[in-house]
Amino acid sequence: MRTLVDWLDERLQIREIKVALFDRKIPKGVGWIYTLGSLSLGIFLLQSVTGILLAMNYSPSPQFAYESVSYITHQVTLGNIVRGLHKWGASAMVLIVTLHMIRVYFMGSYKYPRELSWVVGVFIWLIVMGFGFTGYLLPWDQKGYWATMVGTTIAEQAPLVGPALAKLLRGGDTLGTVTLTRFYAIHVLVLPALVLTLIALHLFFVVRQGISAPPERDKPDGPHA
Ligand code: HEM
C-alpha cells in the first residue's frame, strides 16, 4: 500500500491533497457548530446511495410507480430501511443545510473573502428544495399528486412567466404521465448533476480559503479571515 502511495505521490503529489484536506490549521474558537457543513455533506452522500438503490426498483410511470414503491417497501430486501432512510434523509437534508446556512449568516462567515461560497450555497439550497419538490410526487400517491398540483398552480401565478413555467413543469396542461417522467428526470439527472458540480465548487472554496474565525465581541467589524 505504502509503495503504491509513494508511486502516486511521486507523480501526482497526492500527499499535498491529504495535508490540504485533513492537516489544515483552523482558527481558534471553531466549535461543533462548524460541523454542520460536513454533516450536510454526509447526508448528501446518504441520499445519493439510498437514491441509487431506490432507482434500481422504481418505475416512473403512473401505472407502476405506486406499485413499485409498495414493492420496495414490502418485498425488496431491506427496501423499507432504504426508503425510510431516503425519506427521512430528505427532511434532515433540508433542516441541516438550512441550519448550516443560518450559522454562516449569524457568524458573518459569508463576508469578504467568502462571498462566492455564500452565492454558490444559495444555489445549492434552492436545488435541495427542488429535490424535495420533485421527489414528493414520485410515490404517485394522493399526497404527492395534490401537493404537486398545489406547487405547480402556485408557480402558474408568477407574473409573465408563470403559465409557461407551470406548463414546462407539468409537461402539458394537466398533471399526468409526462409530469411524473419529467419530475423523475429532474430528480435523478438534472438536479444531481447541478448539485454535484456546485458542491465540488463549494468545497473547493472552503479548502482553498480555510474556515473563517468566529466573530470577536470587541471587534465587530474585524476581518473574518
Ligand atoms: C449540500 C449542501 C452543503 C454542503 C455539503 C456544504 C459544505 C460545507 C462545508 C464542509 C463547509 C466548511 C465547514 C463549515 O463551515 O461547516 C462549508 C462552509 C461554508 N458554507 Fe456550506 N455547504 C452546503 C450548503 C451551504 C449553503 C446552503 C450555504 C449558504 C447559502 C453555504 C455557505 C457556506 C459558507 C459561506 C461557508 C464558509 C464558512 C466559513 O468559512 O466559516 N453552504 N460548507
Side-chain angles (χ1 to χ4, degrees), residues 33-38 40-41 44 93 97 100-101 103-104 109-110 114 117-118 121-122 124-125 199 202-203 206 210-212:
I33 200 146
Y34 282 78
T35 57
L36 288 167
S38 309
S40 305
L41 186 62
F44 171 71
M93 177 104 185
V97 171
H100 169 58
M101 186 167 159
R103 180 310 265 166
V104 165
S109 312
Y110 57 86
R114 297 183 178 78
S117 305
W118 174 264
V122 170
I124 296 180
W125 190 85
I199 289 179
H202 191 69
L203 295 181
V206 169
I211 265 328
S212 67

Side-chain angles (χ1 to χ4, degrees), residues 9-79:
D9 190 50
E10 200 180 317
R11 283 152 186 87
L12 300 166
Q13 289 77 49
I14 55 165
R15 287 204 172 90
E16 280 176 21
I17 302 174
K18 181 191 161 262
V19 171
L21 286 179
F22 302 112
D23 302 339
R24 286 182 293 141
K25 286 197 166 51
I26 54 167
K28 215 172 131 206
V30 166
W32 282 101
I33 200 146
Y34 282 78
T35 57
L36 288 167
S38 309
L39 192 56
S40 305
L41 186 62
I43 300 178
F44 171 71
L45 293 177
L46 172 80
Q47 291 304 92
S48 309
V49 172
T50 52
I52 290 171
L53 292 175
L54 288 175
M56 304 269 175
N57 290 293
Y58 174 76
S59 167
S61 68
Q63 206 186 347
F64 296 115
Y66 186 82
E67 265 181 45
S68 65
V69 171
S70 171
Y71 168 71
I72 291 169
T73 315
H74 301 294
Q75 294 185 43
V76 173
T77 314
L78 296 179

